[in-house]
Amino acid sequence: NAGVTQTPKFQVLKTGQSMTLQCAQDMNHNSMYWYRQDPGMGLRLIYYSASEGTTDKGEVPNGYNVSRLNKREFSLRLESAAPSQTSVYFCASSATFGANVLTFGAGSRLTVL
Amino acid sequence: KNQVEQSPQSLIILEGKNCTLQCNYTVSPFSNLRWYKQDTGRGPVSLTIMTFSENTKSNGRYTATLDADTKQSSLHITASQLSDSASYICVVSRYTGNQFYFGTGTSLTVIP
């Protein structure tokens, strides 16, 4: 059982470059989320998709865009990367929106120089 | 303001010893509280969930407690093992708004 799969695991970008983080889940979950994790801070919600076809901003959406490609896939795009976006990014999913258990991917470590 | 605070920030214990991690929250209205374990380089994995009516719940060597009146939870680890070395994150859900509130975590290191 793969659960939540994220790619790439590591990425180094230069300021101004763009990239897309990919996420896929195989649990038939309706809701998907993107979080970032920075030292000394709790996980912060960037964007979420409560169900296929919908996306909404979370706590820290600036500089990011998302696409819920289908029920399985939810991508996060950085259009013009900035050093402040250096972080570890986690994709998560839940059976329904606000369901009390999140299943997380292994994370994507992004460094912006 | 809805917040979740964890203590201590980090902890080092000898293998075989017990330890207790704390979580205080101000999230309201409270729905449930979940403890996650995050191994280095991995995503968080759920350990246990506490609802309003539950005081204690065990999962193997992990025992979580909840005092909804004082808005405090603890995670007690018994007979620690090297594999317990990880970050433990407390996550509180609101009854309305479908939001999760994350603590900053306690980093536990178990040494031989």
Side-chain angles (χ1 to χ4, degrees):
Chain A
N1 294 330
V4 178
T5 303
Q6 291 181 232
T7 56
K9 197 163 179 61
F10 300 96
Q11 184 72 49
V12 178
L13 292 176
K14 294 181 179 179
T15 297
Q17 288 185 317
S18 62
M19 76 157 299
T20 300
L21 299 177
Q22 306 286 354
C23 175
Q25 53 89 11
D26 62 0
M27 297 169 288
N28 201 35
H29 283 174
N30 288 303
S31 303
M32 299 184 74
Y33 313 79
W34 276 105
Y35 289 91
R36 62 178 287 174
Q37 186 175 42
D38 300 293
M41 304 186 75
L43 282 147
R44 292 183 292 170
L45 183 63
I46 304 171
Y47 270 94
Y48 65 93
S49 172
S51 60
E52 185 180 357
T54 69
T55 60
D56 283 287
K57 295 179 180 179
E59 180 185 357
V60 288
N62 291 344
Y64 305 95
N65 284 301
V66 291
S67 294
R68 184 74 183 267
L69 304 171
N70 47 56
K71 190 172 186 178
R72 290 186 63 248
E73 299 173 287
F74 188 40
S75 63
L76 178 71
R77 182 161 178 83
L78 286 71
E79 291 291 352
S80 179
S84 61
Q85 294 178 304
T86 293
S87 187
V88 180
Y89 292 85
F90 288 96
C91 178
S93 70
S94 62
T96 57
F97 182 54
N100 54 34
V101 57
L102 293 167
T103 302
F104 286 88
S108 299
R109 181 175 292 277
L110 174 66
T111 301
V112 183
L113 303 175
Chain B
K1 184 178 180 182
N2 294 301
Q3 288 185 312
V4 178
E5 295 184 352
Q6 293 186 244
S7 61
Q9 188 174 6
S10 62
L11 184 62
I12 301 174
I13 61 173
L14 289 172
E15 185 178 12
K17 297 296 186 181
N18 304 335
C19 67
T20 300
L21 313 180
Q22 300 288 346
C23 174
N24 296 339
Y25 62 91
T26 58
V27 177
S28 181
F30 174 84
S31 175
N32 60 73
L33 183 149
R34 191 176 282 273
W35 285 92
Y36 285 81
K37 179 186 180 187
Q38 184 177 19
D39 292 316
T40 301
R42 312 280 293 196
V45 175
S46 176
L47 285 175
T48 186
I49 181 172
M50 305 292 290
T51 58
F52 187 86
S53 59
E54 296 175 310
N55 299 119
T56 304
K57 183 174 285 188
S58 293
N59 177 7
R61 294 180 297 102
Y62 300 101
T63 299
T65 66
L66 174 67
D67 185 333
D69 291 331
T70 62
K71 299 187 177 180
Q72 296 179 326
S73 176
S74 65
L75 181 68
H76 185 75
I77 304 175
T78 304
S80 61
Q81 300 176 358
L82 298 179
S83 60
D84 292 331
S85 294
S87 180
Y88 292 83
I89 302 171
C90 176
V91 183
V92 182
S93 299
R94 290 183 68 198
Y95 188 73
T96 57
N98 293 321
Q99 285 182 285
F100 299 99
Y101 294 87
F102 290 82
T104 55
T106 292
S107 177
L108 174 65
T109 303
V110 181
I111 59 175

